[in-house]
Amino acid sequence: WLKDNYKLSKVDWQLFNLDVRKLSQKIASRSISAIVTEPYLGPTKILKSEEEARKVIAELSELYFKSFGEFKKVLKPQAKIVIILPILKIKNKFFQLPILDEIKKYGFKTESFLPSFWPPDLVQTTVRGSIIYSRPDQYVLREIFVFSSKA
């Protein structure tokens, strides 16, 4: 699609289907320029309680934290990650993954991904540096982040 629609002469990519926690076993160290992913966002069923939501958030936080450990191994310096983190909605209460400080320990920082000329009334960023996408009937919202790795 990229090659055809943007008339690129060379498009170099590979697709792997594997557990992200084993990424560095398949991909060479410091060989990737960017990762773009909508990973597993949790169960597809509607969660009925805050306790259930907290359990899912804890499980996903561990999975994503381990994922960033693998990303660190395979990404080149100053690489970018575009990733969606889930926000669970239970009875008009929202549960976000509390892992941004942990991700920073791996040497990643959040980046603004809207150009300075972008009209602020079209899309607004959150205090976490993300954009939230959802429809009124959704119970899993998508929090979109851009991270960069340090040199």
Side-chain angles (χ1 to χ4, degrees):
W1 182 89
L2 283 172
K3 186 176 181 182
D4 294 342
N5 288 295
Y6 288 94
K7 309 297 184 225
L8 301 173
S9 59
K10 182 181 178 188
V11 178
D12 185 18
W13 63 274
Q14 290 181 305
L15 177 66
F16 297 101
N17 182 12
L18 73 150
D19 186 323
V20 69
R21 295 167 291 193
K22 298 178 181 177
L23 201 60
S24 63
Q25 294 175 15
K26 184 76 172 176
I27 298 174
S29 176
R30 296 183 164 254
S31 65
I32 302 295
S33 300
I35 294 172
V36 180
T37 182
E38 179 179 81
Y40 173 63
L41 300 176
T44 56
K45 67 177 184 151
I46 296 175
L47 302 177
K48 298 189 184 332
S49 70
E50 290 184 22
E51 181 181 326
E52 210 175 355
R54 284 188 185 90
K55 182 180 176 194
V56 170
I57 289 294
E59 290 169 359
L60 292 176
S61 293
E62 182 180 338
L63 172 65
Y64 285 23
F65 184 64
K66 288 179 179 177
S67 300
F68 272 86
E70 288 295 295
F71 296 164
K72 174 94 173 143
K73 294 175 186 177
V74 300
L75 285 171
K76 294 178 180 179
Q78 300 177 340
K80 302 279 188 201
I81 300 169
V82 180
I83 188 168
I84 294 172
L85 303 182
I87 299 175
L88 305 181
K89 180 180 172 185
I90 310 288
K91 300 177 186 171
N92 293 321
K93 190 168 185 179
F94 298 92
F95 297 85
Q96 295 175 300
L97 273 65
I99 62 170
L100 296 185
D101 289 338
E102 297 298 318
I103 289 171
K104 288 177 185 176
K105 290 178 184 176
Y106 277 129
F108 294 102
K109 64 179 181 176
T110 56
E111 295 248 331
S112 173
F113 48 96
L114 296 178
S116 58
F117 61 82
W118 193 270
D121 56 330
L122 288 181
V123 176
Q124 296 199 1
T125 56
T126 69
V127 295
R128 287 168 44 112
S130 63
I131 291 176
I132 297 176
Y133 168 79
S134 70
R135 294 181 309 274
D137 62 333
Q138 282 186 293
Y139 56 91
V140 177
L141 292 72
R142 285 155 172 80
E143 186 174 20
I144 307 166
F145 282 95
V146 175
F147 290 94
S148 64
S149 59
K150 294 180 183 176

